[in-house]
Amino acid sequence: MGEAQEVQLHVREATSPKPATSSQELPSSSKLKSWRWWLMISLLTLFILAGQAAGTLLGRFYYNNGGKSLWMATIVQSAGAPLLFPFVLFYPLASSSSSSPATASAVKIAAIYIGIGLLIAGDNLMYSYGLLYLPVSTYSLVCATQLAFNALFAYFLNSQKFTAFIFNSIILLTLAATLLGVRSEGGSVSSDKYPLGFTLTIGASATFSLVMSLTQLSFQKVLKSETFLVVIQMTLWTNFLAAVASVVGLFVSGEWRGIHLEFGEFEKGKVSYVMTLVWIAISWLLYSVGAVGLIFVVSSLFSNVIATLALPVVPIFAVVFFHDSMDGVKVIALLIAILGFANYLYQHYLDDSKQKKSRRRRDDL
């Protein structure tokens, strides 16, 4: 059994009620466990899809209506972290009766939070550049390469096994991004910045994938907790430190001098400017909780695959709201990306079926 399945079983046992003592009660207990498991997966998936779609579209809205500060666009991607403080404060009260294993030293935990937080800050900055220099539809499809990078990092850091379907998924998603990268396009985004935007988005995808694999490694090797509180803490502190690092970058770069002018000249008004930044922060916070949660419950690769579900959604909304072009090349790339996702989804189905058969054989013994 791979480490991803072990993490999955570990969380199932941690979040499920105690087994019944009567053999007649076992079926209902199993159904309850399965119901709670899929409810958690569905909720975290919704967080990822809604957060990524809304955050990406609002980020383009910010640029299209007079937003110019790359550092401000970077800050808001992590600025929603303080909203998690109440959950950290009140969660122990709801689970004080549950036991948990000994935690790692404060030095190790701090090192993990700082290291991942700084990587997130750099990653958000590259994504900000990519979103500025690429149309939303192209930007979203280029981000599909993060799955290929994640598979590579997961193989070395998380003992992820490669199969034919996973390999096909990597090839197809990379091909979809390559189709978009070999050509520039006009529209509302300057074509001379297209190569830079494409390169930075690829770099951001690689960094993001590294962050996800390192997060899973931290859960497996250091943050050995049985409660979902560890997900909230990881999301809170890494994003908080990323926001602090981004604020430092804002002042060091000198962009802070133009924030007041940007605020006053935003095309949709001052209130819209503030609300846009607030909802960007909330959207990416939801995405972060969903992504880190699925890493904790299943694996980094599974979390990344779920994120690719937003690929067909974001370009459609981009065409509707921002009038991005959806030409033949982009349609073909989109279909290839969907096919790549389907390959991984089928592999997950095969793994789940194999795991169920193995459990049935153990129960029959």
Side-chain angles (χ1 to χ4, degrees):
M1 181 182 298
E3 292 193 21
Q5 285 82 3
E6 292 179 3
V7 174
Q8 180 175 337
L9 290 174
H10 176 72
V11 177
R12 285 185 182 182
E13 294 172 356
T15 57
S16 62
K18 293 182 179 180
T21 56
S22 172
S23 59
Q24 296 180 347
E25 296 176 348
L26 287 178
S28 61
S29 176
S30 178
K31 290 180 181 179
L32 178 61
K33 181 186 297 184
S34 177
W35 179 82
R36 293 181 63 179
W37 165 256
W38 285 111
L39 177 62
M40 178 185 294
I41 295 297
S42 300
L43 184 61
L44 294 174
T45 298
L46 179 62
F47 283 177
I48 290 179
L49 298 181
Q52 181 169 322
T56 302
L57 293 171
L58 287 172
R60 170 51 59 191
F61 180 82
Y62 166 78
Y63 285 135
N64 285 355
N65 289 278
K68 301 176 182 178
S69 174
L70 288 165
W71 280 108
M72 178 58 72
T74 302
I75 291 170
V76 293
Q77 292 182 57
S78 302
L83 296 176
L84 294 177
F85 273 117
F87 294 94
V88 173
L89 293 176
F90 292 107
Y91 190 98
L93 299 179
S95 59
S96 58
S97 61
S98 63
S99 59
S100 60
T103 58
S105 67
V107 175
K108 288 184 178 179
I109 295 176
I112 290 172
Y113 290 161
I114 293 172
I116 294 179
L118 292 177
L119 283 174
I120 290 175
D123 187 48
N124 289 345
L125 181 61
M126 287 189 287
Y127 273 130
S128 297
Y129 271 101
L131 190 57
L132 175 63
Y133 294 149
L134 295 178
V136 174
S137 51
T138 303
Y139 166 86
S140 299
L141 291 171
V142 172
C143 287
T145 57
Q146 69 190 35
L147 184 58
F149 287 117
N150 196 195
L152 180 63
F153 289 127
Y155 176 77
F156 289 104
L157 298 178
N158 310 126
S159 301
Q160 176 70 45
K161 294 182 179 180
F162 279 104
T163 65
F165 288 106
I166 290 179
F167 184 75
N168 287 340
S169 177
I170 294 170
I171 296 298
L172 290 170
L173 289 168
T174 303
L175 176 60
T178 303
L179 284 176
L180 298 169
V182 297
R183 60 184 295 275
S184 62
E185 57 185 280
S188 60
V189 180
S190 176
S191 60
D192 63 334
K193 298 294 186 180
Y194 188 95
L196 178 60
F198 178 81
T199 302
L200 289 174
T201 305
I202 289 289
S205 297
T207 304
F208 172 76
S209 301
L210 176 61
V211 167
M212 297 189 82
S213 291
L214 289 175
T215 299
Q216 181 179 343
L217 186 66
S218 299
F219 285 147
Q220 292 173 339
K221 303 298 183 181
V222 182
L223 306 174
K224 300 178 181 179
S225 174
E226 294 182 353
T227 68
F228 201 78
L229 176 62
V230 70
V231 172
I232 303 299
Q233 291 173 331
M234 172 68 80
T235 307
L236 167 62
W237 293 115
T238 55
N239 280 275
F240 178 78
L241 291 169
V244 171
S246 301
V247 170
V248 172
L250 176 69
F251 282 94
V252 171
S253 67
E255 280 193 6
W256 65 273
R257 298 184 183 92
I259 296 299
H260 180 72
L261 182 63
E262 179 180 288
F263 171 70
E265 296 181 350
F266 196 69
E267 293 181 10
K268 299 298 182 179
K270 297 179 179 179
V271 174
S272 179
Y273 179 83
V274 174
M275 294 306 299
T276 298
L277 297 181
V278 168
W279 282 107
I280 290 175
I282 293 175
S283 298
W284 286 118
L285 178 64
L286 285 175
Y287 174 85
S288 297
V289 172
V292 177
L294 284 182
I295 293 172
F296 176 70
V297 175
V298 188
S299 70
S300 63
L301 191 58
F302 182 86
S303 179
N304 213 333
V305 167
I306 294 299
T308 63
L309 280 172
L311 291 176
V313 177
V314 175
I316 293 174
F317 281 106
V319 171
V320 174
F321 292 106
F322 302 125
H323 308 292
D324 278 5
S325 62
M326 185 59 78
D327 55 21
V329 173
K330 195 174 295 182
V331 170
I332 293 174
L334 176 61
L335 293 176
I336 293 175
I338 295 174
L339 182 59
F341 165 75
N343 269 264
Y344 183 86
L345 193 64
Y346 184 67
Q347 180 61 55
H348 181 71
Y349 165 77
L350 293 178
D351 291 341
D352 187 60
S353 299
K354 183 178 179 181
Q355 185 179 347
K356 289 180 179 178
K357 290 180 181 179
S358 178
R359 285 201 303 267
R360 285 196 295 267
R361 284 197 297 268
R362 289 198 302 268
D363 294 339
D364 293 338
L365 295 178

